[in-house]
Amino acid sequence: MNKYKYLVPAFLLAAVNVSRACDSCGCEYCDPGLLTLPTIGASPYAISQMSAVKQSYFFLDLAEQYTDFGTLRNVPAGTSTDQYENSFQTQFIVGYQINQDLDIQLNVPYIYRNYRIEDDSGDLLNGQVNGLGDIRLIVNYMALRKETTDWSANWRVSGGLKIPTGKAGLLDLESPSYSGNSPLASGNTAVGGHDVALGSGSYDVVLGTGVDLNWHRAFFDADADYTIRGTGEAGYRYSNELGWSAGPGYRVWQDDTHSLSVQFRAAGEYKAADTVQGELTDDTFVSTVALGPNVMFTWSNVLAAHIQLEVPVVEEYDPGFQALPTFRIKAGITFRF
């Protein structure tokens, strides 16, 4: 029996979240099962090709996530609204499919961010940071699979550890005892140290689950993930975070070796306010729902690709001055060998 997964790496935490903490540390669940074409509605040739697929193999994934943090909230009077942050997160994922139900993956993110902020003198300043983010080691297990001649269903569970490999020194700017003059610590800026730090400085536990249902060419999938965070650099603790995504889709084209699918996805996340040395911050709580299309392409049992747009439609946030996502674009390509 084969895997029938249609959700391209997302993720989860995510895959597929719109939180700042997730955007800082990186979170993608690779889905090599996407490379297996479904038997439902497939030709006898495609089915025979799938039966020859190796049960154990390596896979590589390259994922890119761009987030435009250009929506300002709670702007103080007299403060410039020409502030923003652009975040580019490239993830290199290498994994091994141990057997039909179990795989392990290593996520290595490289992060680049540029921003415009206002300092205490009222001047607009441009800056940028880049470097390695926090690495994640994730184990995925297919806990349940069911197939009939008309439909299939699968349930996945995941767990892993985030390792603090990204530089977290900018979190020092959030400390109440900070006495420097960094513009990122200005009271006029919508972008602070916690927004652009490349890592959290903490070891975190990552938990996830996902289901997908398929009926002929139609499908529906849903994923959820929860990150349990520790205290990191300068006593800063990103709050625990819940993320989810779900949506229906349809394979608009499929032959013996290719498939093209379109999907409409909703994604959301909830993260309480972060703390600094036990004290709550006033600009880090966020609860959002985003909507957008996802387009997926597969070729044989070798390659899969996707591109996805997310636009927030519901937002709740803290009373502090902050920059929230205007939109997010995700793209990825997966190879199996």
Side-chain angles (χ1 to χ4, degrees):
M1 194 178 298
N2 295 284
K3 291 184 179 180
Y4 309 108
K5 297 289 288 180
Y6 297 97
L7 175 62
V8 182
F11 5 145
L12 13 92
L13 259 171
V16 187
N17 298 317
V18 287
S19 67
R20 308 198 67 87
C22 174
D23 199 74
S24 297
C25 62
C27 46
E28 282 285 333
Y29 289 98
C30 190
D31 186 7
L34 180 70
L35 293 171
T36 302
L37 292 172
T39 57
I40 299 172
S43 70
Y45 174 81
I47 295 173
S48 66
Q49 287 293 95
M50 285 186 293
S51 65
V53 174
K54 294 187 296 183
Q55 294 298 305
S56 299
Y57 52 84
F58 289 96
F59 57 88
L60 293 174
D61 186 88
L62 176 63
E64 181 67 33
Q65 176 176 287
Y66 167 70
T67 307
D68 180 307
F69 290 99
T71 301
L72 303 186
R73 294 289 184 259
N74 306 316
V75 183
T79 300
S80 173
T81 58
D82 190 20
Q83 301 187 50
Y84 59 81
E85 175 192 344
N86 294 314
S87 176
F88 299 84
Q89 182 174 272
T90 303
Q91 291 202 63
F92 303 92
I93 302 173
V94 59
Y96 182 68
Q97 190 75 32
I98 299 171
N99 55 45
Q100 188 179 23
D101 296 322
L102 182 66
D103 70 78
I104 186 170
Q105 65 178 76
L106 182 69
N107 295 26
V108 182
Y110 184 85
I111 300 171
Y112 171 82
R113 295 191 175 99
N114 61 67
Y115 53 86
R116 176 177 292 173
I117 58 177
E118 181 179 338
D119 64 14
D120 286 330
S121 300
D123 296 325
L124 290 175
L125 303 175
N126 295 322
Q128 62 89 23
V129 295
N130 65 89
L132 179 69
D134 287 347
I135 290 176
R136 293 186 176 218
L137 181 65
I138 305 291
V139 177
N140 301 300
Y141 177 67
M142 190 65 69
L144 177 68
R145 62 174 76 244
K146 178 67 175 179
E147 178 189 3
T148 72
T149 56
D150 292 316
W151 60 270
S152 70
N154 296 298
W155 172 38
R156 169 189 58 82
V157 293
S158 304
L161 180 68
K162 182 184 73 64
I163 304 169
T165 52
K167 291 184 179 180
L170 288 172
L171 293 177
D172 293 338
L173 306 181
E174 306 290 345
S175 173
S177 60
Y178 177 74
S179 58
N181 58 357
S182 171
L184 287 167
S186 166
N188 296 333
T189 177
V191 179
H194 67 279
D195 297 312
V196 295
L198 299 177
S200 65
S202 64
Y203 287 89
D204 304 334
V205 175
V206 183
L207 304 174
T209 187
V211 297
D212 64 86
L213 308 173
N214 309 281
W215 183 73
H216 296 281
R217 291 196 176 193
F219 61 91
F220 175 87
D221 60 51
D223 287 81
D225 61 84
Y226 189 70
T227 303
I228 303 172
R229 299 190 178 276
T231 301
E233 182 80 12
Y236 194 95
R237 181 181 181 275
Y238 289 100
S239 175
N240 294 349
E241 183 177 349
L242 173 67
W244 60 268
S245 65
Y250 188 77
R251 295 194 308 279
V252 297
W253 172 54
Q254 177 179 303
D255 61 22
D256 291 336
T257 56
H258 307 83
S259 70
L260 179 66
S261 303
V262 294
Q263 184 181 30
F264 181 78
R265 296 194 63 80
E269 60 91 14
Y270 176 86
K271 185 177 76 67
D274 301 340
T275 58
V276 186
Q277 299 176 12
E279 298 294 324
L280 289 173
T281 60
D282 67 352
D283 61 349
T284 55
F285 160 76
V286 63
S287 177
T288 66
V289 176
L291 301 176
N294 186 28
V295 179
M296 298 167 279
F297 173 78
T298 66
W299 173 62
S300 187
N301 294 305
V302 178
L303 179 146
H306 86 115
I307 186 167
Q308 178 178 348
L309 172 67
E310 292 180 1
V311 179
V313 294
V314 177
E315 291 179 331
E316 297 181 18
Y317 41 85
D318 264 342
F321 183 28
Q322 58 194 295
L324 297 177
T326 302
F327 67 90
R328 172 169 288 154
I329 297 174
K330 296 181 178 181
I333 186 167
T334 300
F335 297 94
R336 178 168 64 184
F337 56 95

